[in-house]
Amino acid sequence: MVAYNAHMTIDDDKVYKALADSSRRQLLDRLHQQGGLTLSELCEQQDMTRQAVSKHLALLEAANLVATVKRGREKLHYLNAVPINDIYMRWIGKFEQKQVQALFNLKQALKEDHHDET
Amino acid sequence: MMKPELIYTTYIRTTPEKLWHAITNPEFTRQYWGGNENVSDWIPGAKWAHISGDEQRAARIIGQVVESVPPKRLVLTWADPADEADISRVTFQIESVDDEVRLDVIHGDFRPGSDMVNKVSGGWPRVLSSLKSFLETGKALKSASCAAKHAATEALV
């Protein structure tokens, strides 16, 4: 049981560390928009060097936030949201879910109103 | 191979045999996949269906078994019974990695213009989180199975 918990903590730590960087979150945002991108495609529209993007991708892959598939000589990258869902489910239980969603919707609606005014 | 649209990976502390069973056994699928059962003989060419576990036995998703290599690889076609022509393809790949089992779910070959990809992209992470919890703790995530149920319903609209 202890081993199991320790194991989970290591996995979770990787996910949190991977998410704690705005460049890596940008890469995830890009993959959320469009899956199956190569390293070169991911380097477009980024202020980072190819080497930096490659390093960030390796970290995201190690945290299992990015899944990859090989197609010929290319490596395609995809957002893997499963670990994020695991984290979400850890703290947001059955009864809270509706309330949290309602608050999120309210926040979005207020934001949109604000944009309309400005 | 066409470029797949969706790929999900999860690492589960279980055995490949148990994981295969969890995906193909109706009693198990019902517990973590929104109360729905996966039903088939699981041999190539056989039909399979994702049906509600209640009295209605309503088919949510239907298709055919394309490949079946227990406990390693399962390839299915995937369609909404209301629009059978809108077929896509789901591959489950199971592989032992150290003391864990890696599950890859690849959902691709969507028909041009199909919005199935949007319907399932939110649902798969929830189903796979719930599957992981089910196999590791013996309990599905209640909230996940509710959410997955919602997702399964969404996939029908």
Side-chain angles (χ1 to χ4, degrees):
Chain A
M1 202 59 204
V2 174
Y4 167 78
N5 286 336
H7 178 87
M8 290 300 287
T9 308
I10 291 163
D11 276 3
D12 284 356
D13 280 355
K14 276 189 191 169
V15 175
Y16 293 119
K17 278 177 190 162
L19 289 172
D21 180 281
S22 63
S23 302
R24 287 196 286 275
R25 291 197 298 272
Q26 262 175 41
L27 289 170
L28 293 179
D29 284 339
R30 182 77 186 91
L31 291 174
H32 185 231
Q33 280 172 357
Q34 193 185 353
L37 298 179
T38 61
L39 174 60
S40 301
E41 285 168 329
L42 276 165
C43 288
E44 289 165 19
Q45 304 162 353
Q46 298 284 347
D47 295 333
M48 290 175 273
T49 62
R50 188 183 172 91
Q51 201 184 5
V53 173
S54 174
K55 209 171 152 187
H56 284 312
L57 281 176
L59 237 143
L60 288 167
E61 216 181 320
N64 196 25
L65 288 166
V66 162
T68 61
V69 66
K70 283 207 174 114
R71 196 183 56 168
R73 286 164 60 191
E74 288 177 328
K75 194 174 178 186
L76 309 178
H77 301 78
Y78 293 83
L79 170 65
N80 180 39
V82 181
I84 297 172
N85 199 79
D86 293 342
I87 289 173
Y88 173 78
M89 287 305 170
R90 175 167 164 177
W91 284 300
I92 299 181
K94 188 182 180 184
F95 300 106
E96 285 165 308
Q97 203 160 14
K98 275 184 187 161
Q99 284 93 316
V100 172
Q101 186 64 43
L103 281 173
F104 178 79
N105 291 345
L106 177 64
K107 197 176 156 190
Q108 290 297 108
L110 291 173
K111 263 190 198 167
E112 277 158 27
D113 277 358
H114 183 70
H115 286 310
D116 288 346
E117 281 164 23
T118 47
Chain B
M1 184 180 90
M2 280 170 67
K3 186 154 133 180
E5 279 84 352
L6 302 169
I7 297 186
Y8 301 102
T9 300
T10 186
Y11 291 83
I12 305 176
R13 290 176 73 80
T14 186
T15 64
E17 289 76 16
K18 279 185 189 160
L19 178 51
W20 178 271
H21 218 55
I23 295 167
T24 56
N25 183 300
E27 290 298 311
F28 288 150
T29 43
R30 193 170 58 199
Q31 292 182 60
Y32 68 86
W33 200 331
N36 295 317
E37 300 177 5
N38 288 345
V39 181
S40 174
D41 294 332
W42 307 113
I43 49 171
K47 288 184 175 169
W48 83 279
H50 185 65
I51 61 175
S52 67
D54 55 18
E55 315 84 64
Q56 293 182 347
R57 313 296 290 166
R60 309 281 189 206
I61 298 292
I62 54 168
Q64 273 203 339
V65 178
V66 181
E67 277 179 59
S68 179
V69 188
K72 287 181 181 163
R73 186 175 159 85
L74 180 66
V75 183
L76 308 171
T77 63
W78 176 284
D80 178 345
D83 187 3
E84 290 188 41
D86 186 11
I87 294 177
S88 51
R89 178 182 288 237
V90 174
T91 302
F92 296 88
Q93 283 183 168
I94 298 169
E95 188 189 348
S96 288
V97 179
D98 300 326
D99 58 344
E100 289 183 309
V101 178
R102 175 187 165 135
L103 170 67
D104 288 316
V105 175
I106 301 161
H107 198 155
D109 291 4
F110 294 97
R111 293 288 148 102
S114 165
D115 60 346
M116 184 57 91
V117 62
N118 296 321
K119 288 175 184 168
V120 298
S121 60
W124 277 120
R126 289 194 287 249
V127 169
L128 297 178
S129 284
S130 186
L131 167 62
K132 180 180 163 79
S133 169
F134 172 66
L135 282 168
E136 290 183 348
T137 68
K139 280 183 217 152
L141 295 161
K142 278 205 173 157
S143 45
S145 69
C146 285
K149 190 170 197 166
H150 181 60
T153 322
E154 268 173 1
L156 299 175
V157 182

